[in-house]
Amino acid sequence: MTQITIQTPDDWHLHFRDGDILNETVPATARCFQRAVVMPNLVPPVTNAAMVSAYKDRILAARPQGSTFEPIMTLYLTNDTSREDIIEAKAAGTLAAKLYPAGATTNSDAAVSALDSLFPIFEEMQKQGMLLLVHGEVTDHHIDIFDREKEFIDQNMIRIVSAFPDLKVVFEHITTQDAVEFVLAANDNVAATITPQHLLLNRNDLLVGGVRPHNYCLPVLKRNTHQQALRAVVATGNKKFFLGTDSAPHEKDKKENACGCAGCYSAWSAIELYTHVFDELGALDKLEGFASHHGADFYGLPRNTTSITLVKEDWTIPAEITLPNGNPIVPFFGGQTCSWKIKS
């Protein structure tokens, strides 16, 4: 197959950041995605309805002229989140709230350090029909970073799903066979997003031949056996798994330093790289479900009515991009060849 047309996809997990960088990140996503679930881990984080509305306005102002792209907004959960915060955010059109364990990833220091205290909030979310999006890693220093997803499942995810069976839960950017098995075994109100980097790479791509900071993300890349489990499950077309890039921009100098930031800026090539993966797997017939159907269905939103066409044609992802502030950023797979591209 050398050409494929699919309903316009959505990105069910990404980071736009804030300020001038929106003029880069929003158009990069809007070029091929109709909607995107926008993460709230700004500085300060987006913790109430007024902040959600203000952030959405800034995103809409950065859309290219004539674009119909729509951001799907989320609320940042903290130890101080109240039932009223949930009620007000839902009334303002916020569809989901994001659970970050404190210290798990970029700008998560203000996040949740006492999970059990949030159970009344989860109860209110279940009542309001607001989705819970979970960064599923424990942050205990004595637990190996490669085991933190499994430990979160054992310590927390099982309890949350058991206590709130009617709460829709998205296990974000899963990275392990353990997470795949958990989602498959859970009820139909549990789903997961999978990133391009976790389908394309494993920890060898981060560490062999020297540290490669532009492949550093959180959750960190795992061993090849886990990568293969992710690839195998998307190839089945299971409706519980859908596209979420976790596109997360950081300027080049913030990635290439002694404590490089975690995140892969994949918006420039995301749908093309997913297509590349599904082609490798002999599963191009499953791409549309993963990219365009499963997420919308799980969120209870209509599927998009437009379409995009991709052609099998080699192109080189830019090695660097210049941000509006003049600083360079290295996109995911920068300088490398992708075998699929959007037909102009």
Side-chain angles (χ1 to χ4, degrees), residues 29-43:
T29 289
R31 72 185 180 90
C32 61
F33 294 110
Q34 180 61 43
R35 297 172 290 206
V37 174
V38 182
M39 294 299 105
N41 56 329
L42 306 182
V43 180

Side-chain angles (χ1 to χ4, degrees), residues 66-85:
S67 172
T68 59
F69 170 80
E70 284 293 329
I72 296 171
M73 306 307 293
T74 61
L75 188 74
Y76 184 109
L77 296 175
T78 75
N79 295 329
D80 298 321
T81 300
S82 67
R83 287 179 179 267
E84 289 71 25
D85 290 328

Side-chain angles (χ1 to χ4, degrees), residues 49 61 107 114 176 215 250 268:
N107 300 337
T176 61
N215 289 344
H250 294 285
W268 260 75

